[in-house]
Amino acid sequence: METSSIILLLVSASISFALGRIIVHFRNIKRKREALERQAREKQNRPPEPESKNKAKRKRQLQELNQAQRKNKG
C-alpha cells in the first residue's frame, strides 16, 4: 500500500470513530435527561405520604408540599 492511502485510511477511521463517540455521548445525555424527567413526574404523581409523628419530618413534608404547589402554579 502507498503511504497516502494508509494516511487516508487512518484519517477516515479516526473521523468515523470520533463521530460514533459523539453520537453515543449525546444519546447518553438525552437518556439521562429523560430519566430525570420521568423520576420528577413519578415523584410528583406519587400519593402523599401519611403525616409523620416526628415534628421535624412533618415540617419538611409540609415544606416539600408547598414547594411543589408553587412550582405547579408558576
Side-chain angles (χ1 to χ4, degrees):
M1 285 180 79
E2 295 179 22
T3 307
S4 61
S5 62
I6 292 173
I7 292 172
L8 184 63
L9 178 66
L10 289 175
V11 169
S12 65
S14 62
I15 290 172
S16 175
F17 178 76
L19 285 175
R21 293 304 305 159
I22 288 171
I23 291 170
V24 169
H25 174 72
F26 284 117
R27 189 185 321 151
N28 287 341
I29 289 174
K30 182 180 177 184
R31 285 180 182 168
K32 188 180 287 187
R33 185 177 358 107
E34 289 173 350
L36 289 174
E37 290 172 356
R38 185 175 55 249
Q39 286 176 350
R41 277 195 311 269
E42 288 174 358
K43 185 176 181 182
Q44 188 178 27
N45 295 336
R46 186 175 50 196
E49 296 178 17
E51 201 171 271
S52 175
K53 296 181 186 220
N54 183 328
K55 186 177 179 180
K57 185 174 181 182
R58 193 168 55 237
K59 186 176 178 181
R60 279 195 311 273
Q61 287 175 335
L62 288 172
Q63 287 175 348
E64 289 175 1
L65 182 64
N66 289 336
Q67 287 176 354
Q69 289 174 350
R70 284 188 213 139
K71 284 183 181 180
N72 289 338
K73 289 182 182 179

